[in-house]
Every structure is written in structure tokens, then in C-alpha cells.
Amino acid sequence: QTENEINFINNLEKKISAQKKISETEIALLACYKPLYNSKVLINKLTEYSSKNDLFNEMLKLQIIEPKIENDLKKTIQSIEKISDKTSKKVKQQYEENPYPRWRFAKTKISSPFLNNLKNEIFPNKFNFKNNFLKPEVLIAGCGTGSHLANTIYYLNANITAVDLSLSSLAYAKRKIEDIGYKNINYLNGDILSLKNLNNKFDIIECIGVLHHMERPLDGLKVLLDLLKSEGVLKLGLYSELARKDVVKVRDFIKKEGFNSSLEDIRNLREIIKSKTDDIFYKKISFNYDFYSTSNFRDLVFHVKEHRYSITDLIQIFEDFKLEFLGFTNPDIKKKYSMIFPHDQKATTLQNWDKFEEKYTDSFVDMYQFWVRKS
């Protein structure tokens, strides 16, 4: 934003707050620059307002009504215990300020038995499971804003517990999932490290994009495995070292130049990245979906804690924790892998996957997502 823009928008906000008449054009313009829910004056002025313009009403729903609903929902969510881990406190603060990801739409599906979902996700690997998962106890450890939760609600007859550090993220998740029409979820605010105090065991645990933001991820994994039934299954999502080379380069630049996660620094950093058109790593970052939202960009390159792994690291983790690898979940990557390693009919030989990723380094650009069970 230019200095003229900043001054104009600040003056516009003062004008809108002071005047009795509601100018929809001016409010819509302000909403392009600042979220309306940050102003108590505008909340009071617009909460009961109804326009003849459906698009304006939709904007008010997004920026006034829904945040108010989330604030009310926070009061309905139970806390496990006070968060004490220093890194967990920092991660919690980040997601209280910037819940991630903010999402609006999810695909609706017909509920189906969990085993059908699992078999589809680990295909071409095949297993006979002693656990039939007919009424599974499910734990979503680190549910965030609920975008992942929007898939698990379709596990037939599932009893779901959703846990997250951030109360803001949980309230967002609860609002979105209830909008879909699903209310049978137990939401808990707390640290994965505190889950050892839960008086429950789970058939299914899913923890996607969470452990790698802990101070000691393997401590979190141990807690989850202690909560997993002997015939249960665990789905994990972890960052790939190879696939995040572009992110690492930007994080190193941030550290060197002393950038912080303020809105101004986020915008300035994005301008610098956009200008480096001859650098392949910076170019890759600018093609990333998360580049174009301040909350998402903060999660992408400004996260307070990040660990990354290689396939070799995964092999060691599975060995140390006595876990059986059931398979990665991305079908497109597995098709490509099977063309190169046709003799690995189950697509589960991790030494081959290590060679595959060395050749196709962007294969796990989102993260490794896979299922395991206790050996």
C-alpha cells in the first residue's frame, strides 16, 4: 500500500464511523483494505443492517456476522488444561491472530464406512483389518479451522473429538462444520501434549500438519500412539525437506534481513519476492496459493516453529516407534511412482520412495501424508 492509500483508507474509516448515514459503496471499499470486524463502531452499526443488494449482505455476513458467531462459539468450547509448553504458546498465539486456513466451501459427500475410505487412500496396498471400524472413535489432533475435519465427518457412525491449540481456529471450525449440518463433534481446546490425560482410546487418529510445528514432534507422536488402540490406524502429515527448499530460502532471507510477521513486513516481503523473477525458488513461492493471503503467507514462511523430514527420517521414525507403513495418500503421485517402480505392487517400499523424491523433488510440496499402524 502506498502512503496515499493508507492515509485515504484511515480517513475513510473515520468518516464512515462518524456519519449516521450508511454508504454501502464506501463501506465496501473500506472492506477491501481492512476487515470490518476490527471496528466495534462498525460492528454496532452494521450487525442489524440489511441491504437490497445481496452481494453487500454477503460481505456483511463474511466480515461482521460470522466473526460474531465465532466469538459466541468460543464460550461453548471446553479447555483441557492450561498450555505450558513455550513453543505451543507461540504457535497458539500465531493461530489466534491468524487462523489457518480460512475456507468457505467444502464438498458434501455421502457417509460411508471408514474402511472404504482407508482402502481407497492406501491403494494399491491391501490389508485385512481385525478392527472393522463400525462405530469408530476418531481423534483429529490439531483440527485447525476444520478444513480437514470437513472430510472426516463423513466416516459412518463415527464419534469425533477435535482438538486444537487455538480457540479462534476451533470456533471457526465449529461454525463451518455446523453450517454443513454436522453437530456431533466434541471440540476441545488444548495442547497435544495434554491429550495423555484424556480418558479415552481411539480407533482412528489423524494429525495433519501439526507435529512439525511442535518443539519436539516425536514427543507429540508418542502421546498419539499411547492414545491409539492396538488395532487402530494413524494418519500423519509432515513437511518434506526436499519439497520446501523454496520456503527454506525465504525463511533464511527473513532471518537475515530481520523481517517480522507484521502486516507491513508481510506485504513488503511479498513485493521483494515478486521482483526476483530470475530466481527459481522465489518464483515457486509466488506461484503458491498461500502467497496471496496474509494469514496463509504467515503460515507458509513466518511460522514460529518448523521441522522438515526426509524419507530416510520417516524410515527411522517407523523403526523407532515400531510402526507399519500403510501407504501415502496422494493417488496421482502413486500412479507416477508405479510407472517407475512397477515391481513394488503395494507402493510401500520407502527406499524406492526416497529415490523417487530425489528425482521428483516437488512430489510432496504440500507435505507427506500417509497412514501407519502399530506393528
Side-chain angles (χ1 to χ4, degrees), residues 4-32:
N4 284 341
E5 271 183 299
I6 294 168
N7 291 334
F8 179 84
I9 292 302
N10 288 338
N11 289 332
L12 180 62
E13 184 175 9
K14 291 175 184 176
K15 178 185 174 185
I16 293 171
S17 299
Q19 64 189 12
K20 291 184 178 180
K21 182 183 176 182
I22 290 177
S23 168
E24 294 185 1
T25 303
E26 289 181 332
I27 290 170
L29 177 59
L30 178 64
C32 292

Coordinates of all heavy atoms in Angstrom, one line a residue, residues 4-32:
N4 N -0.3 7.3 0.3 CA -1.6 8.0 0.0 C -2.7 7.0 0.2 O -3.8 7.5 0.7 CB -1.6 8.4 -1.5 CG -0.7 9.7 -1.7 OD1 -0.4 10.4 -0.8 ND2 -0.3 9.9 -2.9
E5 N -2.6 5.8 -0.2 CA -3.7 4.8 0.1 C -3.9 4.6 1.6 O -5.1 4.7 2.0 CB -3.2 3.4 -0.4 CG -3.6 3.1 -1.9 CD -3.2 1.7 -2.2 OE1 -2.0 1.4 -2.2 OE2 -4.1 0.9 -2.6
I6 N -2.9 4.5 2.4 CA -3.0 4.3 3.8 C -3.8 5.5 4.4 O -4.7 5.3 5.2 CB -1.7 4.1 4.5 CG1 -1.0 2.8 4.0 CG2 -1.8 4.1 6.0 CD1 0.4 2.6 4.3
N7 N -3.3 6.7 4.1 CA -4.0 7.9 4.6 C -5.5 8.0 4.2 O -6.3 8.3 5.0 CB -3.3 9.2 4.1 CG -1.9 9.3 4.8 OD1 -1.7 8.7 5.9 ND2 -1.0 9.9 4.1
F8 N -5.7 7.7 2.9 CA -7.1 7.7 2.4 C -8.0 6.7 3.1 O -9.1 7.1 3.5 CB -7.1 7.4 0.9 CG -8.5 7.4 0.3 CD1 -9.0 8.6 -0.2 CD2 -9.2 6.3 0.1 CE1 -10.3 8.6 -0.7 CE2 -10.5 6.3 -0.4 CZ -11.0 7.5 -0.8
I9 N -7.5 5.5 3.3 CA -8.3 4.5 4.0 C -8.6 4.8 5.4 O -9.7 4.6 6.0 CB -7.7 3.1 3.8 CG1 -7.7 2.7 2.3 CG2 -8.4 2.1 4.7 CD1 -9.1 2.6 1.7
N10 N -7.5 5.3 6.1 CA -7.7 5.7 7.5 C -8.7 6.8 7.7 O -9.6 6.8 8.6 CB -6.4 6.2 8.1 CG -5.4 5.0 8.4 OD1 -5.9 3.9 8.5 ND2 -4.1 5.3 8.4
N11 N -8.7 7.8 6.7 CA -9.7 8.9 6.8 C -11.1 8.4 6.4 O -12.1 8.9 7.0 CB -9.3 10.0 5.8 CG -8.0 10.8 6.3 OD1 -7.8 10.9 7.5 ND2 -7.2 11.3 5.4
L12 N -11.1 7.4 5.5 CA -12.4 6.9 5.1 C -13.0 6.1 6.3 O -14.3 6.3 6.5 CB -12.2 5.9 3.9 CG -13.5 5.2 3.4 CD1 -14.5 6.2 2.9 CD2 -13.1 4.2 2.3
E13 N -12.2 5.4 7.0 CA -12.8 4.7 8.2 C -13.3 5.7 9.2 O -14.4 5.4 9.8 CB -11.7 3.8 8.8 CG -12.2 3.0 10.0 CD -11.2 2.0 10.5 OE1 -10.0 2.1 10.1 OE2 -11.5 1.1 11.4
K14 N -12.6 6.8 9.5 CA -13.1 7.8 10.4 C -14.4 8.4 9.9 O -15.3 8.6 10.7 CB -12.0 8.9 10.6 CG -10.8 8.4 11.3 CD -9.7 9.5 11.3 CE -8.4 9.0 12.0 NZ -7.4 10.1 11.9
K15 N -14.5 8.7 8.6 CA -15.7 9.2 8.1 C -16.9 8.3 8.2 O -18.0 8.7 8.7 CB -15.4 9.6 6.6 CG -16.6 10.1 5.9 CD -16.4 10.3 4.4 CE -17.6 10.7 3.6 NZ -17.4 10.8 2.2
I16 N -16.7 7.0 7.9 CA -17.8 6.1 8.0 C -18.2 5.9 9.4 O -19.4 5.8 9.7 CB -17.3 4.7 7.4 CG1 -17.1 4.8 5.9 CG2 -18.4 3.6 7.6 CD1 -16.4 3.6 5.2
S17 N -17.3 5.9 10.3 CA -17.6 5.7 11.7 C -18.4 6.9 12.3 O -19.3 6.7 13.2 CB -16.3 5.5 12.6 OG -15.6 4.3 12.1
A18 N -18.1 8.0 11.8 CA -18.7 9.3 12.3 C -20.1 9.6 11.8 O -21.0 10.1 12.5 CB -17.8 10.5 12.1
Q19 N -20.3 9.2 10.5 CA -21.6 9.6 9.9 C -22.7 8.6 10.2 O -22.5 7.4 10.4 CB -21.4 9.7 8.3 CG -21.0 8.4 7.6 CD -20.6 8.6 6.2 OE1 -20.4 9.8 5.7 NE2 -20.5 7.6 5.4
K20 N -23.9 9.2 10.3 CA -25.1 8.3 10.6 C -25.5 7.5 9.4 O -25.9 6.4 9.5 CB -26.2 9.2 11.1 CG -25.9 9.8 12.5 CD -27.1 10.5 13.0 CE -26.9 11.1 14.5 NZ -28.1 11.8 15.0
K21 N -25.5 8.2 8.2 CA -25.9 7.5 7.0 C -24.9 6.4 6.6 O -23.7 6.6 6.8 CB -26.0 8.6 5.9 CG -26.5 8.0 4.6 CD -26.5 9.1 3.5 CE -26.9 8.5 2.1 NZ -26.8 9.5 1.0
I22 N -25.5 5.3 6.1 CA -24.7 4.2 5.7 C -24.4 4.3 4.2 O -25.4 4.2 3.4 CB -25.3 2.9 6.1 CG1 -25.2 2.7 7.6 CG2 -24.6 1.7 5.4 CD1 -25.9 1.4 8.1
S23 N -23.2 4.5 3.8 CA -22.8 4.5 2.4 C -22.2 3.1 2.0 O -21.1 2.8 2.4 CB -21.8 5.6 2.1 OG -21.2 5.4 0.8
E24 N -23.0 2.3 1.3 CA -22.6 0.9 1.0 C -21.3 0.9 0.2 O -20.4 0.1 0.3 CB -23.7 0.2 0.3 CG -24.9 0.0 1.3 CD -26.0 -0.9 0.6 OE1 -25.8 -1.3 -0.5 OE2 -27.0 -1.1 1.3
T25 N -21.2 1.9 -0.7 CA -20.0 1.9 -1.6 C -18.7 2.2 -0.8 O -17.7 1.5 -1.0 CB -20.2 3.0 -2.7 OG1 -21.3 2.8 -3.4 CG2 -19.0 3.0 -3.6
E26 N -18.8 3.1 0.1 CA -17.7 3.4 0.9 C -17.3 2.3 1.9 O -16.1 2.0 2.1 CB -17.9 4.7 1.7 CG -18.0 6.0 0.9 CD -18.2 7.2 1.7 OE1 -18.9 7.1 2.7 OE2 -17.8 8.3 1.2
I27 N -18.3 1.6 2.4 CA -18.1 0.5 3.3 C -17.4 -0.7 2.6 O -16.5 -1.3 3.1 CB -19.4 0.1 4.0 CG1 -19.8 1.1 5.0 CG2 -19.2 -1.3 4.7 CD1 -21.2 0.9 5.6
A28 N -17.9 -0.9 1.4 CA -17.4 -2.0 0.5 C -15.9 -1.7 0.2 O -15.1 -2.6 0.2 CB -18.2 -2.2 -0.7
L29 N -15.6 -0.4 -0.1 CA -14.2 0.0 -0.4 C -13.3 -0.3 0.8 O -12.2 -0.8 0.7 CB -14.2 1.4 -0.8 CG -12.8 2.0 -1.1 CD1 -12.1 1.3 -2.2 CD2 -12.9 3.5 -1.5
L30 N -13.8 0.2 2.0 CA -13.0 0.0 3.2 C -12.8 -1.5 3.5 O -11.7 -1.9 3.9 CB -13.8 0.6 4.4 CG -13.1 0.5 5.8 CD1 -11.8 1.2 5.8 CD2 -14.0 1.0 6.9
A31 N -13.8 -2.3 3.2 CA -13.7 -3.7 3.5 C -12.7 -4.4 2.6 O -12.2 -5.6 2.9 CB -15.1 -4.4 3.3
C32 N -12.3 -3.8 1.5 CA -11.2 -4.4 0.6 C -9.9 -4.2 1.3 O -8.9 -4.9 0.9 CB -11.2 -3.7 -0.7 SG -12.7 -4.0 -1.7

